[in-house]
Structures are given as C-alpha cells and as structure tokens.
Amino acid sequence: MGAKAGSSPPVVPPPASSATSFFPSINGLKLKTKQQELLIRVSILALVYVLAFAIRLFSVLRYESMIHEFDPYFNYRTTLFLTEKGFYEFWNWFDFESWYPLGRIIGGTLYPGLMVTAALIYWTLRFLRFAVHIREVCVLTAPFFASNTTIVAYFFGKEIWDSGAGLVAAALIAICPGYISRSVAGSYDNEGVAIFALLLTFYLFVKAVNTGSLAWALASAFGYFYMVSAWGGYVFIINLVPLYVLVLLVTGRYSMRLYIAYNCMYVLGMLLAMQIRFVGFQHVQSGEHMAAMGVFFLLQVFYFLDWVKFTLNDPKLFYSFLRIALTCAISVGSLALGVGMATGYISPWTGRFYSLLDPTYAKDHIPIIASVSEHQPTAWSSFMFDFHILLFLFPAGLYFCFKRLSDATIFIVMYGLTSMYFAGVMVRLILVAAPAVCLISSIAVSATLKNLTMLIRAKNNATPMGSSKGTASLKASAKASSFDQPLPYQRNVAIALLLGAFYLLSRYAIHCTWVTSEAYSSPSIVLAARGAHGGRVIFDDYREAYFWLRKNTPADAKIMSWWDYGYQITAMGNRTVIVDNNTWNNTHIATVGRAMSSYEDEAYDIMKSLDVDYVLVVFGGVTGYSSDDINKFLWMVRIGGGVFSVIKEPEYLVNGEYRVDKGAAPKMLNCLMYKLCYYRFGEVTTEYGKPPGYDRARGVEIGNKDVKLEYLEEAFTTSNWIIRIYKVKPPKNRW
Amino acid sequence: MRKVFACALFLLLATWMTTARSDLVISKVDRRIDLTSHIVRVLSTLKVENAGRVVVSEILLAIPNMQAKNLANLKAFYNEGKGKGSAINLPVAEVHPEGMPRELSFYSISLHEGLEKGKSLTVNVLSIFTHSLQPFPEEISQSDVQLVVYQDSAYYVSPYEVKSQSLNVLLPGGRVESYTKHPSGKLVDSEIKYGPYEKLPPFSYSPIVLHFENNNPFVVAQELVREIEVSHWGSIQITEHYNLAHKGATNKGGFSRLDYQSRSYMGGRSSLRQLIARLPPRAHSIYYRDDIGNISTSHLWGDSRKTQLEIEPRFPIFGGWRTSFTIGYSLPLQDFLFVSEGNRFLNITFGCPMDEVVIDDLIVKVVLPEGSKEVSVSVPFHTKQWHETKYSHLDIIGRPVVALEKNNVVPEHNTYFQVHYKFNNLSLLWEPLMLISGFLLLFVACIAYMHADLSISKSSASYIAKLQWDEVQATVQQVQNVIRRCLSAHEKLETSLQDLSRTGDVHSCKATRKIADGLLKELSKELKPLMGFLQSSPQAAQIWPKVEELVAKEKEMQEKLMQKHVAVVDCFEKKYSGREIENRVAPYQQKLSALKQEVDDLLDYIDEI
C-alpha cells in the first residue's frame, strides 16, 4: 500500500489502480496483526504440545504399552491399589509383600503425588465414560505431563524474556533428551510429574515476585505442595528459592513484591507440605530445610529495619540501631540453630544431600547410593547426548540474561547455574537442569534470531516502510533512502547467520528424535537386539520369569534377589521379596549381599533365617547382557561388607582385579552368586568356535565349570538364561 | 484297589438282577475307546433288537458313576439308510429308573419312532470323558515319559442282555507298561483288543486296567471366559481369557533349561510348548497377552478359509504348572450377524478355538450394543444363563450382556449358538452425538468464560482501571479506523489524479475532490469526541501523545494532498506539459511520502500497544 502511494502518480500502470480498489474488501477479511500473532502463537503452542506427547510414544510403537524399568513398577502397583481400594486404604497400606519379614508402611514412605494424579485422571476419564485401563493411564501420564510442561515453559519464558523466547523454550523442552529420558510413555515415575510441578512452582513464584500479587504467591505455594507430594526433589526448590531471595537482598533488589511473594509462598507452602506424611515436620526439623526458614526470618528483619528507618528518619540513629539489631538477630538465630542441632531437634543433613554437595561423599560413606548407575557423576558425553546444542546456547543465554538483568532473569540464571552443578554431580539430575537449560538457551535463540531478523527486515524496507526499529528509522527515512550502511554485507551475513541458526536447530531436532528412538525408548524389561539376518530379536526373559513366579510358586513364597529386581518381582510376579528398590534398610540389603557372597552352606543358614523359598539371579552370560548380577556382584560384596565384616572385598579379587575365569579368587569361584549364575553353564556352548562355558557378557571362559548345588535346586531358567530361579530345598530330615 | 472291588460287586449284583427290561436285547456291540489324547472318546455301536411284545421307544444306557462324573458329552445317533447315510441325532436324557443299581447312572435315548417287535436298530453312542486318565506315577522328572492309567470294563455294561460284543482300545503308541489280559486281551501294535464275548447277562462287568505311555500335554483350561462384543459399526470383538493348567504327571525336581533346549527328546516330552487356535477366516486385530503385557511368541497364518494362530506360552508348561493369558481378535460383523423378521441374531461358535483343550468352566458372555432389547439365546445343550450389564466407552445405561456357563467342555461342544435381539439403528448415532455435544458444550463454556466478567470486586481500583483501559483501547481502535478511512480517501484522490493523467477529465477529478473533501471533513468531526475522550482519560496518558501526533500528521497530510491535487488539476486546466507538472508537484510529493511513512509508523506503533 505504502509503496504504491509513494511512487509518482502519472506513471503508474492501470492494473495497480484496480488492485487498490479491491483492497478494502480484502482488508475486511484480514486479521489484525495482533490477532494474527495470537493465532500463530496458539497454533505453535498447540503443535508443540502435540509434539511433546507424540515424541514420547516411540516406546509404545517400538515395544508396547507397558511400564518401564524398576521404580515405575512400584508406582504402578501402588496406583493399582489406590484405584481398587480407595484413598484411605492406600494411606493406611502396610505392605507385607516387600522387605520380608519387616514389611513396609507404604502410605507413610512414599510421595503420593504421582499415584493420586494418575488415579484422578483415571477416575475423570471413567466419569466421562471412557473405559480406559489404569495401565494405559499410567503409561501415558508422563508424556501428558511433559506436554503440560511445555505450556508452563512458554509462560515462564514469556515471564523472564518475551513471548518469542517462551515459544522457543516450549519447543526446546518438548524434545530435550535430558527430559525425555525420564518422561517417555511407560516411564511412570515421580520425575514425570515432578518436573512439571517444579517448573510450575518456579514460574508462579517468579510471577509472584514480578507482580507482588498474593494470588500468584498462593498459586506458587500450591505448586510447591504438588511438587512436595510428587518427588523428593522438592528440596531443590526449598533451597533455591531462599538462595534467590538472599541474592536479591544482597544485590539491593529487595522490594515489597519480593516480601509478599516469599512469605506467602514459604509459610503456606510449608504448612501444605506438612500434610504429606512422608515429609511431615521436616520443614521445621531437618537441616536441609533450615535455609528457607533462615531467609524467612531475615526478610522479617529486613522489613522491620525498613520500617524503623522510615520512622526514625535519621541516618545516624538508624545506623546505631542497625548495628544492635543485626548483632541481636544473628546471635539469636545462630543460638537457635545451635540449640536445635545440639538437642537433635533439627536433624543433620542426610547422606543424599551431602553426596549432592560433595560428589565423592557417597563413594566413601554410602555404597548403596554409589552403586546406582544413575547416581554416578555425569560424563561430558552424556551432557552432549542430553543437551546437544543447548550446551553451547546455555552460556550465550546467560550472557543475554546478564545483559538485561531483572528479578526474573536473576532467578533463571541461578536456577540454571545450580542445577547445572547438580547435573554434573549425578547423572539423573540432568533432568532437573533440563528446563533451566532449555529456558536459558531459548533466550539466546530468541534474542539472536530477533536481532538478525531485525537487521534483515530493516535493510529490506529501509525506504518504503518503517521497520520495527520505530523512531530510529523514522528519522532516517526523513533523509530519504540513503541512510545507514554501517557494515558491508551486513544483510548477507545476517541471512547466513540465520540459516546457520536454523541448521543448528534442525540438527537439534534430528538429534533429539534419534536419541529418543534409539536410547530412551527401551523399557529395559524387554530387551531387543538385531538378529543375524537383520530382524529384531526380542528377549522377554524378565517377564517370562516373573510370570512363572506368579503362576507356579506358592502364593506366599519369598523370593530373594538383589534389590534391583524387588519392585518388579512384587509387581509382576506378585510374590514377597526380601529387599526391593526402596532401599530404606541398609542392613537388610547387606544381609542379602552377604548371603550372595557367602559359600552355599553359610548362605543356606542366612536364607533359612529369612524364610527364603526361591532365589532369583540375573545372568547375561548366554546372551551377552552386561548389566547382570555378576557385574553387580562387587557392589553386593561392598554393601554386605559394609555391615558384616566377615565379607571382605579383597577375597573376591585377584590383585585388585575382578575376574570370573580360571584365575579368579577361590572365594569368588565358590560363592553362592557364582554358583547360581554358572550352574551347569559349563555344559553350554554359547558361541561358535569357543569352548563350552564361554561367558559372552565378560568374554571369558568361566573358571568353575563343575558347579554342584547342595542346598538349592534349579527351579526355572528363562529361554535366554537371563533369569535363573532356584528353589531352596527344605532342611534334611536328620535335623 | 477299592474300585476293582466295587466292580466285582457289580458282577455279583448283575447275576441275580434279571430285571424287567429284558424286552430289548443287544445283539451286537462294538466299542472303540480312543485314548490317543487326554480326552477319552468311547464310540459304541449297538445293534438293538426288540425281543418283547410291545413297541419300545427308549433305550437305556448305563455308565458307572465313577465314569459318569467325568462325562462331558453323550451323543446318540443312527445312520439313515444303509452305508454312509446322514447321521440323525437322538435326544439323550439322564434318567433315574427304579430298581436299578445305584452305582450306575442311566441315560435314555428316545427313539423318534418306536422299535416294533422283532425289529432291530443300529445306534451309535459317542460318550466323551475328561479327567479319566490318571497319571501314574503322579510325579515325574523332566526327562521321564508320562505314564497314565485307564480303567474300564471289558464287558459292555448294559441293563440288557448282550449277545455278542467286542472292545478295541486305541493307544497313542509308545510303551505299554501293563494291561489286563483277562479275559482275552491282546495287544496288537498300539491297539488292545478284548473279546469277542458271547451271551453276557445284563450288568456284566469285568474290570480292565491299562497302564501306558501318553505324552500328550493334558491341557485343561480351569476357567475360560469368552467375551463376544458386538459392535454395529462393523465388527465383533472376541476376547478369551484362559487359565490353563497341565493336569498330567506333576513335574518334580525342577526344570532344567539346558536339558529342555539341547536334548529336546529327553527334556520335557509331555510339556506344552504351543497351542494352535483355529480362528474364523478374516479374523484381524489379533493379540495375545497376559496380566503383565504382550507375549511376543506367536505366529499367524491365514487364508480364505481359516486363520491359524500359533501361540507359545511364556514358558513351557510342565505337569502341574499353570499359566494364564488372553487372546483377542476381531471378526467382520456380516459373517456372524444376520437379520430375520426384524430381529437380529448372532450366530457364533460356543467353545474355545483350540484343539484338545478341556475346559472345566466355560463362561461365554455376549455383549450386545447399548440399547438392544428382547435378548434371547438358543444353545444346543444345557447351560446356566444370566444377564449382566457392561459399561464400555461412552455408555450411559450400559450394554446388555448374556452370560452362559457350562462345565466340562470338550472340543465337541464347539458348535454354533444363536443370540436373538432387537436393535434400532438410530441408537448407533447416540454416542457420536454425545461426543459432538460434549465438545460443543466445552466450546460454549469457553466462549461464555471469555465473555463473562468474573471479578469479585466491581469497585476495586484495578478493576476500574482495567475497564478504563479497555475503553481507551476501544477508542484508540476507533481512532485508527478513522485514520485508515482517511488514508483510503487519500488513496481515492491519488487515483483520481492518475485517471486525470490518463483521460484528462478535469471535471470528474474535481468532483472526486469535492466528495473526498466532504468525507474528510466528516471524519475529522467524528474524530473530535474520540480525541476529547482520550485526552481526558488518565489511562490514555502514555498513549495520548502518539495518537495526537498521528492525528496531526494525518491532518498535515490531508492539507498537502489537497494542495497537490489543486496544483495538478490547475496545471491540467492550464495545459502544462507533463514535465512541468512533475516539477510543480515534486515538493508536495516528497513531503507527502515522508508524512505517509510517519503515519504508517505511528499506526504500527499504536497497533503494537
């Protein structure tokens, strides 16, 4: 329109004039720019929402709609119980099927958020007359919440930067592998909903700080409540938020908004969190929660001083008051803390907390934490694997944040930096860092793209139309078209950079899809491998064994296995286990570890004292499945030895080396675990051209081929030998 | 053995019991006992002769109670005409005649036409027994063969005198541990022959015991629930929940995978490795799973006549082991659902589609679409029936379910049965309509929410400010509209100038100017109250200067345009050359384009707010 009017009137060809006469009618149909933008934004968000859900369905397509891994099986079992028996039964549930003979108070030792969420979704769908199975609900809970997380990420991005950054953040987090790893369909774990709750709480809190509105602060308190109900990672919130408040105080950004937001969120959030039985009074009693309380009191002091300063209206008097007040406050605070610690009212930090702050702590003091692979320090490669380009965009985003510091950007910077540190300490905490990394990277992407497009657009219509640079180009255009030419090829470079950015982002998308489909969609209950002819071979041994237990053992049989398989045995095999993945009793686990690493006759006494009927071991020697019990065995020795000094780790090693072949330590060759894994394995030829008894997982010929069992007998071995179950024989009559 | 003793008692009983039913005489009996599977099938061919005076219309069959309790099916039929005529079934019913030994159960075959004096008739009786082969020894290890014991009588037990009889027992082959040789039993290949015996009084009984190898898996479905769900959208979904057990000799001493895999002949010959389900043709969407997920060991073949599903349980089933699983499949509706006289009827098979499976307790549930009425069932044998309601997707009142229960089912029961019901096709639309209205309601609710004013306090400062801001926004919108209309008027003026340069029609051009002038004046009048409002409103404070600037610029533009227009028209009237005109207009032109630019920028700016 502008261009046509600008040209000189006498030489315009006639068709153009007819076009202008049409214009009003088309104009009437066209949406306003604002509406257009809204439409585009909403449709992008909707697409991202669907994408986040769809990419997580790889596991369902590749395998089936099933629950994955270990912990999700417990969650599934409890959800099933909740939907069948109702909430009060669930709350009062004492589980006889695990930790035999101790049992476990389920209601008081779990975070019920996930189960209640799934049950609510289930009941809602049932109410709406959708006859879904609870398993489907459980399988799809994590993707559903991942989709919701993208929406929260959008609003969060909008809050800290602008809606463009919000959109990018939503898109990035939708496919970020670091997040997908814990939220694929079937990964029915606390983290699935907890990341949503975490981000929601943070968003609402930042919103509350930005607006100073009680309503938002209240909402964030409820977000916090949901987070507490869902995952133990809430400790991160209750420490990060006070830290953030402290930083704001130190940098002189204290405001009434902050005061309102934090006080409301902390007080209400704490009271609400106390309603969760597993958390109870920890908010006032545990050392991990004391920072929040300290900052709460500090804020009151700040407010009080502000008021005194206002009423005194005399700087000199105020400073003397300040000195007295501060001394008093600090001494009272430290005294209270000291007394609390000394009397044991305030519990000290737990081992898990220590191991977070100090990566080497767990290795030396708590082998049971260190034995879990997801608690290992993160390797660079897994950072690259899980974040890809976000790893490089993250510092860039930090730069942009520092360039435009506000209360909100300070928050995201702190969230990003702390969570990155924790992600470095433990592999599984990459998950917590993922939203922060996505948000900060989205700022980098959005700001860069915006700058580049501005350059291109400004160049494009420098003459006819004002660019979005507004007043700057207004003045420039007054001087006709001969305005700024600051850099040669500026536009070309901008276009090249833009293309580069799109290339990187598309690589990111490709990488995420690949990672999701290849690495994170395996249920790890069902193993898949490529056959000799390129076909897919399924190893369904776990379920084979669990189903055998379920159908062909007495209903009250007690199964002894390493704790990794406890949840699966109770959920799928429906049998009582001695230990399971809820590692609350280290001694009990150590007893099992001791039994596994003792000679058969000693182990038999232990097993008799625990009423064990069956022993289950996981063995990968035939298939080459490497995460089996022989490879985990040193941890059993370590954990067993940590409690029972009769078990000594060096006895199982030869010159500090762990081996199972002829050169292995004699104790190793005759311990229960070795015998159970390799019973009659010496007669099997696993690989062509190798001697019988060749262990494919470790690539050696085993050292003790003539394993004789005296107190146990083979009860079942799965088709690929991955799981072997032995029956403990009854005592001989002579006793 | 107590049993043998009891049987001997029969013999005694039989000798002094020469009761009334001697009108009939069985002139010849050929019995064939098939022991090749774990289901015992006894086919007796009776040649019955009426030796009395009166017409006889029923024939009594006697089966010892020990066997009768395992009787799954009893069928009597005779062949029409000589040779291979079509078989005609005769009704059989259990009876309790007076004065008969209590150790026997009696069944009576009703003849369609009475058997007259002196006439004879050949009747075939097929009786099927389950759980009649006792594993002995009861516990075997994995590599042992499974030996079973079968007991019966060498003589045909009958309330009538039997003139001539013979017995053939068909064995599955393999080892025969022992068999009763008396009277006159002999083993030929895998068949044991007894008889022939002549002229035996009623209730003659001579126990025989066979001990032989039978490595068939004794597959027993302790419970099978078949759910047949009819959907009038075009398919029948069948779900079968199996609870299987191997009722052969119990496995002892554990299970060795090594023996099972490497020495297949040695390791577990009597184990159940796979089952074959013969499904109807065009079965699709077949699945095979259990409580903990999908089972990946199954194969499917299909052609136009049948679909064959070969399933392997998760683990081989040895004696005494159990498993459970579910198979499901869909069938095309038109193959099984028919309409007659306004009624619909479903015609589908009753039993399980697998071979040689004994079902202890079979429950067939037929789920009819929601809104079906007048449901009735016709089954060729006796079953327990009841009605249920099932709630599936989008059901309000629930779907009517007919449940049929039958115990001790053998493959011979796998016959068709019919479910008749009435269904209105319009009911089909009910669920889609419900969905549509649900979404409609959702959207309406959204619209209502967007338009409803839900604030609690109507007098709070922020609420009033918000209202005022809305008003300001509306006003700014109006101002923008007016400016846009002005701009389009400008456009018209420019167009008229172009026309002028083409046609040279000065008058029409002047007329256009007049109209545009009037329009612009009107618009500026329209603008006045809006501007007044904006100026007075406190909410508009930050936007006001921009709006003011916009209006001012537009005004200036108007003036310049008018001047330009006048100048051009003037030039045309004075017939100046094109070049001259351009020179004259140039300063206005430059100014105008600059102004235009500014106005556009301002409009954009205001838009963004």
Side-chain angles (χ1 to χ4, degrees), chain B residues 27-187:
Chain B
S27 52
K28 193 171 183 235
V29 179
D30 283 323
R31 276 197 299 156
R32 252 183 107 74
I33 301 179
D34 182 355
L35 298 179
T36 48
S37 78
H38 69 292
I39 301 171
V40 177
R41 293 184 174 84
V42 183
L43 180 66
S44 325
T45 311
L46 313 175
K47 195 170 178 200
V48 188
E49 211 178 295
N50 191 353
R53 279 173 217 102
V54 284
V55 177
V56 176
S57 63
E58 60 169 24
I59 305 168
L60 277 188
L61 301 175
I63 296 173
N65 282 346
M66 299 296 282
Q67 290 181 334
K69 73 177 187 336
N70 291 327
L71 182 70
N73 197 5
L74 185 62
K75 209 160 80 174
F77 56 96
Y78 66 93
N79 288 331
E80 183 83 334
K82 286 281 166 200
K84 299 269 184 277
S86 60
I88 294 173
N89 282 334
L90 296 169
V92 182
E94 187 172 1
V95 288
H96 301 280
E98 300 262 325
M100 290 289 179
R102 293 201 6 242
E103 289 79 4
L104 295 174
S105 300
F106 289 91
Y107 299 85
S108 108
I109 304 172
S110 317
L111 302 176
H112 292 308
E113 302 149 10
L115 192 61
E116 283 168 29
K117 182 190 168 222
K119 289 276 172 69
S120 69
L121 175 74
T122 307
V123 181
N124 296 312
V125 177
L126 176 68
S127 36
I128 298 170
F129 301 94
T130 57
H131 305 291
S132 297
L133 298 179
Q134 297 300 320
F136 186 82
E138 288 185 342
E139 282 189 337
I140 55 170
S141 72
Q142 187 182 340
S143 54
D144 291 343
V145 293
Q146 180 171 269
L147 297 169
V148 295
V149 170
Y150 178 72
Q151 299 179 341
D152 205 337
S153 161
Y155 304 146
Y156 180 66
V157 180
S158 168
Y160 311 114
E161 188 191 337
V162 183
K163 285 184 176 163
S164 145
Q165 60 173 302
S166 66
L167 168 65
N168 283 3
V169 183
L170 201 64
L171 300 179
R175 206 163 90 215
V176 177
E177 199 77 355
S178 70
Y179 63 97
T180 309
K181 296 195 177 65
H182 175 82
S184 71
K186 55 179 178 295
L187 174 69

Side-chain angles (χ1 to χ4, degrees), chain A residues 470-541:
Chain A
T471 47
S473 64
L474 252 176
K475 279 169 208 146
S477 60
K479 287 188 236 156
S481 61
S482 64
F483 106 104
D484 66 334
Q485 198 77 342
L487 284 167
Y489 308 118
Q490 177 177 286
R491 196 172 154 224
N492 296 342
V493 171
I495 288 176
L497 283 176
L498 206 57
L499 287 178
F502 278 122
Y503 174 73
L504 277 182
L505 289 175
S506 57
R507 289 308 308 180
Y508 172 71
I510 291 168
H511 172 82
C512 292
T513 320
W514 175 77
V515 166
T516 312
S517 96
E518 292 294 315
Y520 288 145
S521 293
S522 162
S524 89
I525 283 272
V526 181
L527 311 165
R530 289 252 170 267
H533 306 288
R536 208 163 72 123
V537 185
I538 296 267
F539 296 132
D540 204 356
D541 287 38

Side-chain angles (χ1 to χ4, degrees), chain B residues 181-321:
Chain B
K181 296 195 177 65
H182 175 82
S184 71
K186 55 179 178 295
L187 174 69
V188 181
D189 289 337
S190 55
E191 209 173 325
I192 299 176
K193 288 187 175 158
Y194 288 95
Y197 308 115
E198 304 287 336
K199 289 238 175 189
L200 285 171
F203 301 115
S204 301
Y205 192 97
S206 165
I208 50 167
V209 176
L210 313 177
H211 190 198
F212 58 96
E213 178 181 339
N214 186 341
N215 278 322
N216 287 309
F218 285 21
V219 190
V220 176
Q222 289 165 316
E223 192 187 52
L224 168 60
V225 180
R226 294 185 82 212
E227 197 178 271
I228 301 166
E229 188 165 348
V230 178
S231 160
H232 278 231
W233 292 101
S235 71
I236 297 174
Q237 281 106 39
I238 300 185
T239 321
E240 298 173 353
H241 305 276
Y242 288 86
N243 224 330
L244 280 193
H246 187 310
K247 283 293 179 71
T250 318
N251 177 260
K252 72 161 186 230
F255 161 65
S256 165
R257 176 67 68 172
L258 183 67
D259 291 342
Y260 183 74
Q261 274 175 339
S262 57
R263 287 155 238 176
S264 59
Y265 192 71
M266 286 287 291
R269 269 178 287 171
S270 63
S271 70
L272 168 65
R273 286 165 195 250
Q274 64 172 27
L275 284 163
I276 293 172
R278 290 175 217 285
L279 308 179
R282 289 191 292 287
H284 59 95
S285 315
I286 297 166
Y287 62 86
Y288 169 43
R289 55 173 300 132
D290 60 21
D291 300 346
I292 60 171
N294 185 46
I295 308 169
S296 51
T297 44
S298 61
H299 304 280
L300 185 72
W301 291 279
D303 56 32
S304 60
R305 279 178 300 145
K306 63 169 191 305
T307 312
Q308 191 165 316
L309 176 68
E310 184 188 310
I311 58 178
E312 273 174 52
R314 282 194 190 275
F315 41 85
I317 314 289
F318 282 89
W321 286 15

Side-chain angles (χ1 to χ4, degrees), chain B residues 514-532:
Chain B
K514 208 159 189 186
I515 295 167
D517 207 32
L519 183 68
L520 286 172
K521 285 237 166 64
E522 228 168 80
L523 287 175
S524 70
K525 247 185 237 163
E526 227 175 271
L527 209 51
K528 230 164 229 162
L530 298 176
M531 296 304 283

